[in-house]
Amino acid sequence: MSTGEKMIKKLKPLAINLGLVCGSFIFAILIGEIGLRLAGIEAPLPPDPESETLAYRVDDPHRGWAPRANAVTVWAGEGERTGVQMNSSGMRDQERTVNKPENTYRIAFLGDSFVEAIHVPLEYTAAAIMEQKLAECSALNGKNVEVLNFGVQGYGTAQELMTLRHHVWQFSPDLVLLGFYPGNDIRNNYKPLEHDHFRPYFTLENGQWVIDNSFKDLTQLERDYYSTSRLDYLPRWLLENSRILQLIRQAEATAKQRQFEQDYEQTNINFYKEPPDENWEEAWNITEGLISLIQDEVKQQGVDFMVFTISDSYQVHPKLDKRQEFMEKYDIQDLFYPDKRIQALGEREDFTVFRLAEPLQQVAEEKGECLHGFENAYPCEGHWNRDGNRVAAELMSNQICQRITSQQVQKTNQTP
């Protein structure tokens, strides 16, 4: 018997055993898939990041992601289940002309998910209500008022600056509002604290602001470790048709969600305190610098500028004992620390800051009602509900009207 024949004779049992193992493995998978289907067990996949049915996709060269123009979807997360439609400019707003109509006072409202307010129907958003309320402001002398909603879920101050630069000015606003939410805007602006890196970052080098656009090299699956699975790199059709892979993916996603909650529990309350470490000190410095940069660029355009600090849910909880319990648990000395810090920045840099949290707390306490939270989420936590949007809109409208009135009085007094 030749050497080759001897080798074939030795390999034949190995090949047979390997075939049996592979066959058994495939058979077990088939039995498992059939069993899961008969039992009705499945783990539906999240929407495909590249799906054209989503209102958001990663396709903005300046901001990382942006609403898709004319997108139509249904919001079924925290808040009310409602139809959502973006206008032709990619805003969660009614249709707006680029050219400002005659006899119109136009406001550009920058912000994140609180401003976009996808959790309530469009007519109940703070921006929409402000538009109605400001129409009653006598200082505007009957002008038509437009409040353009440039808010986008998840945005930090850097993305709002890029929105200002690349999207706002073509609409010729008379006033730029920045809705600043300390709950995550500070973290969003600094890469070591942020988990979703599909966004631009700014750093100050030798007195000059330098932009980091490395997000452009990331894929959608690489943008956020906590929200993706290794299985997401497999073909979508394979995941959609395999119950076993779906369950494995769900187990990994659940484990990552638990890890996220552990990793960010402390991060999500550190904005209430003096910076506890160098990362937070730098995040605050960058944030304050970006707000000042927005103010400078608005001023260069000869446009008015205001900042509204948006409330966090624990700042305005209607029950005093709940607020005190929260402060004691996390060793918080002042629930309004971030708001006061932004106001101090405004005083140094000469721009107006209005702190919404304190008056919202007063309203919530007097009425015993939650201004944050929805039935399908944690009570009194999360984003503004309808009442929260309404009260915030009324407060902001009053401040804007007072400002316009004051400016008119100053002009009158300066007139010879």
Side-chain angles (χ1 to χ4, degrees):
M1 181 180 294
S2 67
T3 302
E5 290 174 334
K6 290 180 180 179
M7 184 173 292
I8 292 174
K9 187 175 182 180
K10 290 180 179 180
L11 291 176
K12 188 174 181 180
L14 179 62
I16 292 173
N17 290 334
L18 182 61
L20 288 173
V21 170
C22 291
S24 299
F25 181 69
I26 294 172
F27 180 73
I29 291 176
L30 290 174
I31 292 299
E33 291 286 350
I34 292 171
L36 290 172
R37 280 169 167 75
L38 289 175
I41 298 174
E42 63 179 329
L45 299 174
D48 183 355
E50 303 300 327
S51 172
E52 289 297 318
T53 63
L54 292 180
Y56 294 89
R57 62 177 299 180
V58 181
D59 62 352
D60 190 286
H62 307 292
R63 300 177 290 177
W65 72 90
R68 185 183 299 115
N70 298 313
V72 179
T73 188
V74 174
W75 175 253
E78 174 206 358
E80 301 179 37
R81 184 179 178 87
T82 183
V84 176
Q85 182 169 355
M86 304 298 167
N87 66 19
S88 61
S89 298
M91 296 184 287
R92 205 241 168 157
D93 199 347
Q94 60 180 283
E95 193 60 36
R96 307 290 188 177
T97 60
V98 174
N99 294 327
K100 184 170 63 178
E102 293 184 7
N103 196 41
T104 296
Y105 186 84
R106 179 172 271 184
I107 297 172
F109 198 0
L110 298 168
D112 62 4
S113 51
F114 276 87
V115 175
E116 186 185 46
I118 206 168
H119 320 88
V120 297
L122 180 61
E123 62 269 26
Y124 295 103
T125 63
I129 297 171
M130 284 170 61
E131 191 168 283
Q132 299 172 9
K133 294 295 181 181
L134 283 169
E136 303 170 2
C137 176
S138 59
L140 287 171
N141 298 317
K143 285 186 176 181
N144 180 48
V145 177
E146 292 184 348
V147 180
L148 278 58
N149 190 336
F150 285 96
V152 179
Q153 288 192 75
Y155 271 18
T157 316
Q159 287 162 299
E160 290 151 7
L161 170 60
M162 300 305 281
T163 300
L164 178 74
R165 289 178 173 177
H166 298 282
H167 299 275
V168 169
W169 294 127
Q170 62 180 327
F171 289 93
S172 305
D174 300 284
L175 170 65
V176 171
L177 301 183
L178 175 64
F180 178 77
Y181 176 57
N184 53 35
D185 282 3
I186 305 160
R187 166 168 58 85
N188 293 155
N189 297 328
Y190 190 52
K191 186 178 288 188
L193 295 179
E194 178 54 59
H195 59 89
D196 184 350
H197 291 158
F198 211 94
R199 63 179 79 234
Y201 292 95
F202 282 81
T203 56
L204 190 61
E205 299 179 10
N206 299 319
Q208 298 293 322
W209 286 103
V210 178
I211 189 169
D212 172 5
N213 279 327
S214 58
F215 72 89
K216 295 181 180 180
D217 298 324
L218 297 178
T219 67
Q220 179 82 341
L221 292 176
E222 293 171 333
R223 61 179 285 183
D224 187 351
Y225 166 80
Y226 291 101
S227 66
T228 57
S229 162
R230 288 167 294 182
L231 295 184
D232 289 326
Y233 289 89
L234 295 174
R236 180 80 180 185
W237 62 264
L238 183 59
L239 291 174
E240 290 175 341
N241 291 283
S242 173
R243 301 292 175 87
I244 292 176
L245 290 178
Q246 289 175 17
L247 291 176
I248 294 173
R249 188 197 178 284
Q250 183 184 58
E252 184 181 1
T254 301
K256 281 191 172 184
Q257 181 61 35
R258 285 198 297 267
Q259 183 181 345
F260 172 81
E261 292 170 357
Q262 293 173 1
D263 290 349
Y264 279 88
E265 180 180 12
Q266 192 65 35
T267 300
N268 289 335
I269 58 93
N270 276 343
F271 68 91
Y272 279 117
K273 307 176 180 180
E274 292 280 353
D277 54 40
E278 291 182 357
N279 277 338
W280 273 95
E281 186 65 52
E282 184 65 11
W284 263 111
N285 291 337
I286 289 174
T287 297
E288 291 173 333
L290 289 173
I291 295 174
S292 297
L293 188 56
I294 290 175
Q295 189 254 2
D296 290 341
E297 296 190 9
V298 171
K299 185 177 180 180
Q300 289 172 8
Q301 295 289 331
V303 174
D304 203 8
F305 178 64
M306 295 180 70
V307 174
F308 289 93
T309 59
I310 293 171
S311 61
D312 187 60
S313 57
Y314 279 99
Q315 291 178 315
V316 300
H317 197 288
K319 295 184 178 179
L320 175 61
D321 60 334
K322 292 293 184 181
R323 300 197 299 269
Q324 292 176 335
E325 179 183 333
F326 176 73
M327 294 175 68
E328 291 172 3
K329 178 179 179 180
Y330 292 107
D331 191 27
I332 297 169
Q333 305 303 312
D334 185 357
L335 283 175
F336 304 118
Y337 166 79
D339 309 80
K340 293 176 181 177
R341 181 159 178 166
I342 296 299
Q343 185 173 46
L345 173 68
E347 292 171 354
R348 292 196 307 270
E349 299 294 329
D350 193 27
F351 61 82
T352 298
V353 176
F354 181 71
R355 291 152 39 185
L356 282 168
E358 288 100 326
L360 284 174
Q361 181 195 92
Q362 183 178 355
V363 172
E365 196 166 26
E366 287 177 353
K367 296 188 175 182
E369 297 177 356
C370 296
L371 302 180
H372 292 244
F374 298 87
E375 291 183 358
N376 67 346
Y378 296 106
C380 288
E381 296 185 24
H383 291 82
W384 285 333
N385 51 36
R386 290 192 186 189
D387 287 336
N389 274 276
R390 175 183 54 79
V391 177
E394 292 171 352
L395 290 168
M396 288 187 285
S397 298
N398 289 338
Q399 289 298 311
I400 294 169
C401 185
Q402 289 178 25
R403 182 178 180 83
I404 296 171
T405 302
S406 176
Q407 289 171 339
Q408 289 183 351
V409 170
Q410 290 178 3
K411 288 181 181 179
T412 301
N413 291 338
Q414 292 171 359
T415 302

